[in-house]
Amino acid sequence: MRCRNCSAMSDPFPNGYNFCIIVMYLSCYLISQVNASVHEYHNEGFIHRSNSYFFHGGSEGLYASKARIDADKPTSNEDKPINGKSFIRFESINFRRTKLSAEKKNEMQQKTGLVEAIIVEVRDRDKIGGSYLKSDAICCTPELAKNGSCKVGEVIIHQDPYNLNGPKRVQTFFEGQNEEASMGHETIEINSTGMYYLYFMYCDPELKGLQISGKTVWRNTEGYLPGKMAPLMTFSAFMSFAYLVLGLVWFVRFVQYWKDIMQLHYHITAVIGLGMCEMALWYFEYANFNSTGTRPMGITLWAVTFSAVKKTVSRLLLLVVSMGYGVVRPTLGGITMKVILLGVTYFIFSEALGLVEHLGNINDFTGKARLLLVLPVSLLDACFIIWIFSSLSQTLEKLQIKKSLAKFALYQKFTNSLAVSVLLSVAWIGYEVVQVLAIFTIIIIVFILLPVKIV
């Protein structure tokens, strides 16, 4: 019995071929926008919000430093916070204002324009701006400065005297009529675990058109991997070892029963080999990322591709086994092309999703692109599930009619095991979809109801 949901596999989406090409193009475009724990800025502009202008410099999860800098030990500024330290380091940050803006200033003045770097943990974001002063302003105004709560021309920050790990600011001033101002090499140590945001902001409207260039380096206690990715390196190492053990056991059994080997056994060997390569590539990718602060694009692309191929082949293998291929029927017959087309479609979307997830900017929000790809992958997974269980039902019926009791018992165990796995997979897919939809909904609500809030 064929899956009715899969009967139109020749065109799973309207204009399916063109849609897949567009998705792959958008995913490949993200490769040119790869960011890592080294965030680079290339003459970026600022966005106007309320009475301020801001530029989002990055956001990552950081762990608290394990040990403080030893003030008695003579070290260079570059090597100060390394082992056991979490920090955000500003390197070669330059601000460039327009010539018209510079000419309006007095060349005899030392400070003719202020740009601030604001580092804030997500739970302290309400301390940025004048909300605690019952004002929607982000920059201090003469009225708010009257009671000494802030200084005119600066971003309002509510400093809690009992919380030394609150929002931090680093100020950079323009001098005279200079068009450029350079930020010193500053290193901000992180002493509280959390999700951190970096914003560059200014309040002077005459600085409109300001551009930023340079880079910031974000480092965790054990390396440059962001907090949400740090456990993945250990997981990849464990899974690489697990696949190695599984491969050795499978090889021994393969050699032991080589006279009884079927075509399916070669396919299973291929899946185990793909899994082994996939986990090894991810481990080297995370290890390289952790030591250098940038993602090795070549290794990442190969890891994403091996993941997509392995997931596609493993699903196709389950499908053809459920149809009885190699056990009940020698060939798939007329449905071969539909199976192949389903596999190709799944690979395209799975590869595109992997590129978006691993080659896009590291951030706590994954954006609309991921939502666009998670839903098709989930729908295709659902189609696989329906087709697999429909085929299993048909295969069990055939074995029962033929009274092949041994094969029937084997397929019953296979069906039960698969049902448990599918339930866990469906639960995870549901979590992924709900999570992305919730994030997307929150973003829309924030932009509609709170257009002046930036942190």
Side-chain angles (χ1 to χ4, degrees), residues 399-412:
L399 290 173
Q400 196 171 23
I401 292 173
K402 293 181 179 180
K403 297 183 179 180
S404 301
L405 299 181
K407 291 182 179 180
F408 181 81
L410 184 64
Y411 262 86
Q412 272 191 325

Side-chain angles (χ1 to χ4, degrees), residues 45-49 51-55 95 113-118 138-139 153-155 172 174 199-211:
F46 285 65
I47 299 173
H48 184 225
R49 285 290 184 273
N51 62 339
S52 71
Y53 297 81
F54 83 98
F55 170 75
F95 303 104
L114 170 63
V115 184
E116 297 181 283
I118 310 293
I138 295 172
C139 292
E154 294 185 358
V155 175
T172 303
F174 284 91
Y199 291 97
F200 294 94
M201 305 179 67
Y202 67 88
C203 301
D204 187 355
E206 292 185 357
L207 289 178
K208 187 175 181 180
L210 184 74
Q211 292 183 331

Side-chain angles (χ1 to χ4, degrees), residues 259-445:
K259 291 183 179 179
D260 301 317
I261 295 299
M262 298 185 297
Q263 191 69 28
L264 281 176
H265 292 114
Y266 292 104
H267 296 158
I268 296 172
T269 304
V271 172
I272 295 174
L274 286 169
M276 194 183 303
C277 293
E278 175 200 5
M279 289 296 109
L281 283 169
W282 280 125
Y283 174 76
F284 286 119
E285 199 267 354
Y286 291 130
N288 188 288
F289 190 177
N290 194 49
S291 62
T292 65
T294 57
R295 305 198 80 156
M297 191 181 301
I299 298 178
T300 306
L301 283 171
W302 278 110
V304 169
T305 302
F306 267 90
S307 296
V309 172
K310 188 204 74 173
K311 289 192 291 185
T312 303
V313 173
S314 60
R315 282 159 175 74
L316 290 176
L317 183 61
L318 283 174
L319 180 58
V320 297
V321 169
S322 300
M323 292 177 175
Y325 175 70
V327 179
V328 177
R329 55 197 300 180
T331 65
L332 296 178
I335 60 174
T336 302
M337 286 307 299
K338 291 184 178 180
V339 171
I340 293 175
L341 191 55
L342 176 61
V344 171
T345 305
Y346 185 86
F347 169 77
I348 290 173
F349 282 99
S350 181
E351 176 81 358
L353 179 60
L355 292 175
V356 169
E357 287 182 329
H358 298 285
L359 292 177
N361 294 342
I362 292 176
N363 204 323
D364 57 334
F365 294 119
T366 51
K368 301 176 184 178
R370 188 171 186 272
L371 176 64
L372 180 69
L373 296 168
V374 166
L375 293 177
V377 171
S378 301
L379 290 173
L380 289 168
D381 271 322
C383 192
F384 266 114
I385 292 169
I386 294 171
W387 203 350
I388 285 171
F389 280 99
S390 297
S391 300
L392 275 173
S393 176
Q394 183 181 10
T395 302
L396 286 170
E397 186 179 347
K398 286 182 179 179
L399 290 173
Q400 196 171 23
I401 292 173
K402 293 181 179 180
K403 297 183 179 180
S404 301
L405 299 181
K407 291 182 179 180
F408 181 81
L410 184 64
Y411 262 86
Q412 272 191 325
K413 292 180 181 179
F414 175 68
T415 302
N416 295 334
S417 301
L418 191 59
V420 174
S421 301
V422 167
L423 286 175
L424 293 175
S425 298
V426 169
W428 178 254
I429 291 169
Y431 166 76
E432 286 273 293
V433 173
V434 171
Q435 182 186 44
V436 173
L437 286 173
I439 290 173
F440 189 50
T441 303
I442 290 171
I443 293 173
I444 293 174
I445 293 173

Side-chain angles (χ1 to χ4, degrees), residues 185-213:
H185 280 240
E186 297 281 347
T187 300
I188 305 299
E189 187 175 350
I190 304 299
N191 295 305
S192 176
T193 300
M195 175 66 70
Y196 284 84
Y197 292 79
L198 169 61
Y199 291 97
F200 294 94
M201 305 179 67
Y202 67 88
C203 301
D204 187 355
E206 292 185 357
L207 289 178
K208 187 175 181 180
L210 184 74
Q211 292 183 331
I212 180 176
S213 61

